[in-house]
Amino acid sequence: MKNKCYLFTGIILIFAGTINFSKAQTSLNAQYENIVEKANNYQEYKVINQNQIKSLWKNTTDSLKSNQAKLDKAQSQINKQQLEINQLKKLLSEKNNHLSKALNAKDEILLLSFVPLSKAAYQTTMWGLIIFLLGLATFLILRTKNFRKEALYRIKLFNDLNDEFKNYKIKANDNEKKLARALQDERNKLDELFRR
C-alpha cells in the first residue's frame, strides 16, 4: 500500500513536471513569437532587441533547470521507492519462508526423536503398529490357549500315569510281601525239616 502511494506520487510529480514544462514551453513560444512580431524589419532581415533575446534565453534556461530539478527529484523518489519495494519484497520472501517452515513444523512430528514424519504418515505408522501388535497379541493368546490345553492334557495324562504307577507299586509291594512271606514260610519249613 505504501509502495503504491509512492509510485502514485512519483507519477503525479512527473505528470505535473510535464504540465509545467508544456506551460513553460507555451510561455516560451509566446515570448518568441512576441519577439519576432515586434522585431523591426531591415531590408530582408529582422532586427531583434537584445534584451528581449537575453530575457527569452534566461527564461528558457530557468524553465529547463526547473524541469530538470523536478525530474531529478521525481527520479530520486522513484529510486527510493524502488529500493523500498525491493526491501519489502525481500521481507515478504523471508516471511513466506518463515511461514512455510512454521507450517511444516506444525504438520511434522518426530518419531523416536529424530525421524521427521508428517502427521498423516505418523498416524498411518502408529495405526499400522497398533494393528500389528493387536494381531500379534491375538496370535500369542490363541497359541497360549492351545499350549495351555496341551499342558492340561499332558498333566492329566501324567496324573493318570502317576495313579497307575502308584497302584502298580502298591500291587507290586503287596506281591513282594506275599512272596517274602511265602519265602519265609518255605524257609521255616526247610528249617524244621533239618531240625528233625
Side-chain angles (χ1 to χ4, degrees):
M1 182 74 180
K2 192 174 181 182
N3 292 334
K4 287 182 180 179
C5 288
Y6 286 139
L7 187 61
F8 185 69
T9 305
I11 291 171
I12 288 176
L13 286 175
I14 291 172
F15 184 69
T18 307
I19 290 172
N20 287 340
F21 179 73
S22 66
K23 282 182 182 177
Q25 194 167 1
T26 305
S27 173
L28 291 175
N29 284 339
Q31 285 180 18
Y32 175 74
E33 288 175 10
N34 188 22
I35 289 174
V36 170
E37 285 177 16
K38 288 185 178 180
N40 294 329
N41 288 335
Y42 176 72
Q43 293 178 357
E44 290 183 22
Y45 303 102
K46 291 250 182 192
V47 178
I48 298 173
N49 185 346
Q50 276 188 344
N51 289 336
Q52 288 178 339
I53 285 283
K54 286 179 183 177
S55 175
L56 176 64
W57 180 256
K58 183 180 180 299
N59 290 340
T60 304
T61 55
D62 287 346
S63 294
L64 288 175
K65 284 178 185 178
S66 171
N67 287 336
Q68 187 63 41
K70 288 177 184 176
L71 184 63
D72 289 344
K73 183 178 178 183
Q75 187 62 42
S76 169
Q77 194 166 5
I78 288 172
N79 290 341
K80 181 180 173 184
Q81 290 170 354
Q82 188 62 41
L83 182 64
E84 286 181 14
I85 288 171
N86 290 340
Q87 288 173 345
L88 289 173
K89 282 182 181 178
K90 183 180 176 185
L91 182 65
L92 180 64
S93 173
E94 289 173 0
K95 296 244 183 211
N96 284 340
N97 287 339
H98 182 68
L99 179 63
S100 66
K101 285 179 184 177
L103 289 175
N104 286 341
K106 180 184 160 221
D107 189 44
E108 197 172 81
I109 296 175
L110 291 178
L111 181 66
L112 303 175
S113 299
F114 61 89
V115 179
L117 290 175
S118 69
K119 284 186 179 176
Y122 178 78
Q123 286 179 344
T124 304
T125 303
M126 285 298 120
W127 279 111
L129 187 60
I130 288 170
I131 290 170
F132 171 74
L133 290 176
L134 285 175
L136 183 63
T138 304
F139 173 75
L140 290 176
I141 288 170
L142 292 176
R143 287 289 281 179
T144 305
K145 208 174 192 183
N146 289 339
F147 287 144
R148 185 176 174 159
K149 277 184 183 177
E150 184 69 24
L152 290 174
Y153 174 72
R154 297 291 175 184
I155 288 171
K156 184 178 177 258
L157 283 178
F158 174 75
N159 287 338
D160 290 346
L161 190 61
N162 195 21
D163 289 342
E164 242 180 80
F165 182 68
K166 282 180 184 176
N167 289 336
Y168 172 75
K169 268 175 89 178
I170 291 171
K171 285 180 185 175
N173 196 7
D174 287 345
N175 284 339
E176 189 179 319
K177 285 180 184 176
K178 283 181 189 176
L179 285 175
R181 274 189 209 135
L183 180 65
Q184 192 64 38
D185 287 343
E186 290 298 320
R187 278 186 191 161
N188 288 339
K189 285 181 188 175
L190 200 70
D191 277 340
E192 277 181 32
L193 280 177
F194 282 123
R195 281 188 205 166
R196 298 189 191 168

